[in-house]
Amino acid sequence: MDLAVQAADAAVTVPVGQLLPISEEAVGRRLGDDWEFVYRNAEYLLWGAVISVLLTVTSILLGFLAGFPAGAIETYGNGYSRAFVRKFGVLLRGTPILVIMFITFYALPYEIVHDAVEALFSALDFVLGPTPFTAAVDVPGAFVAATLALGFRSAAYQSQIFRGALQSIDEGQMEAARSIGMSRLEAIRHVIAPQALRRSVPGFQNEFTIVLKDTSIAFAIGLAELLKRSEDLFTQQTTAILEVIVFISLLYFVLTFTTNRTLDYVNNRFAIPGESS
């Protein structure tokens, strides 16, 4: 009984301050271990960034290929085609990107997409002659689904960027082109479109940044992009969550900053003479 009382008294009288240096040392060691863990897996995260960049590029290209014609149809199309494009764009812009991605991943057969891409490249070969492009068969289905979702959603927004740029060109330019014998299509192609594309760079810059950051949503369908790979890491070492998030945030910042500076240069380089950039 006396021993128990003495032990209790000893436990009470131990100065709490004596434990603080040990605790701080343990915390410092843990922080060092966490950053070392991030450093060891930096290459794994960088490959995730590469996948995010590839997904951004393919989605933006798909959005441009679909968005520019859509913007031209909204500006110069007839009533039926204009109404269809406009309503389809409203549907895409009003649907959450995560819902679109689930539809393209779970509901859209991959074989149909692959066959459509093969048909597109065959058409290009027929029109342009032999080209080096082929439909890859080893692309993960999640990457294709994410590209379709991000690409068509981006097309809905890019169409409005290009529509505004096309409508900003003075109507006298069309009249002048028609007066020298150009058809309406030739006037759009050779006179209106080049100026509209130059004026659309600032809006396109914003859309590029949005798509780059939206690639992280592909995490939901299991694509091993940057956010998915970071989740793989901090499930292995739960104390490194903050460090991993800080590291991938820096990667996203570098990517968006580099993209913005590059597109700023493109905007200044190809700006219409006499117009402020």
Side-chain angles (χ1 to χ4, degrees):
M1 187 67 178
D2 293 338
L3 291 177
V5 172
Q6 292 176 4
D9 291 340
V12 172
T13 57
V14 171
V16 178
Q18 293 181 4
L19 300 177
L20 291 179
I22 300 175
S23 177
E24 290 176 352
E25 181 182 355
V27 170
R29 185 168 58 252
R30 173 55 64 187
L31 288 174
D33 292 343
D34 291 340
W35 280 112
E36 182 183 359
F37 174 76
V38 173
Y39 177 78
R40 291 199 311 268
N41 293 278
E43 183 177 356
Y44 181 74
L45 293 173
L46 289 174
W47 276 111
V50 170
I51 295 174
S52 295
V53 170
L54 290 176
L55 180 57
T56 301
V57 172
T58 55
S59 300
I60 282 290
L61 287 177
L62 177 60
F64 176 80
L65 292 175
F68 187 80
I73 290 174
E74 285 199 55
T75 306
Y76 300 109
N78 58 40
Y80 292 106
S81 61
R82 183 186 299 135
F84 173 78
V85 170
R86 185 172 298 168
K87 291 179 180 179
F88 193 66
V90 169
L91 176 65
L92 287 174
R93 289 191 296 272
T95 305
I97 182 59
L98 185 60
V99 174
I100 300 175
M101 200 169 292
F102 280 157
I103 292 174
T104 57
F105 184 66
Y106 291 108
L108 188 64
Y110 176 77
E111 293 77 11
I112 294 178
V113 177
H114 184 267
D115 292 342
V117 174
E118 279 192 333
L120 174 62
F121 287 144
S122 298
L124 289 176
D125 289 341
F126 178 77
V127 174
L128 304 176
T131 65
F133 303 109
T134 58
V137 296
D138 56 348
V139 177
F143 187 90
V144 175
T147 297
L148 292 174
L150 292 169
F152 282 112
R153 203 282 297 269
S154 178
Y157 284 99
Q158 288 190 50
S159 67
Q160 301 308 296
I161 296 173
F162 297 132
R163 178 181 63 82
L166 289 168
Q167 291 178 343
S168 72
I169 306 300
D170 190 87
E171 293 182 0
Q173 305 248 0
M174 174 68 76
E175 296 174 0
R178 297 297 300 275
S179 68
I180 62 174
M182 286 187 178
S183 67
R184 186 178 178 85
L185 182 60
E186 288 175 336
I188 294 172
R189 177 182 176 184
H190 297 290
V191 178
I192 306 298
Q195 299 179 71
L197 287 174
R198 291 182 175 192
R199 289 184 175 179
S200 64
V201 172
F204 184 81
Q205 174 179 351
N206 184 58
E207 178 62 19
F208 198 105
T209 304
I210 291 173
V211 173
L212 174 60
K213 291 184 290 186
D214 281 352
T215 57
S216 61
I217 300 176
F219 163 84
I221 59 175
L223 182 64
E225 43 73 55
L226 184 54
L227 185 62
K228 178 65 172 66
R229 289 180 176 236
S230 67
E231 193 266 347
D232 292 341
L233 290 185
F234 60 64
T235 53
Q236 297 179 28
Q237 187 160 325
T238 56
T239 59
I241 293 178
L242 180 60
E243 288 78 5
V244 173
I245 293 298
V246 168
F247 184 78
I248 67 170
S249 297
L250 290 174
L251 290 179
Y252 277 119
F253 173 78
V254 170
L255 292 174
T256 54
F257 182 83
T258 304
T259 299
N260 285 327
R261 295 290 77 79
T262 301
L263 290 176
D264 280 340
Y265 171 79
V266 172
N267 185 37
N268 295 330
R269 175 68 177 80
F270 294 100
I272 298 175
E275 292 189 356
S276 59
S277 59

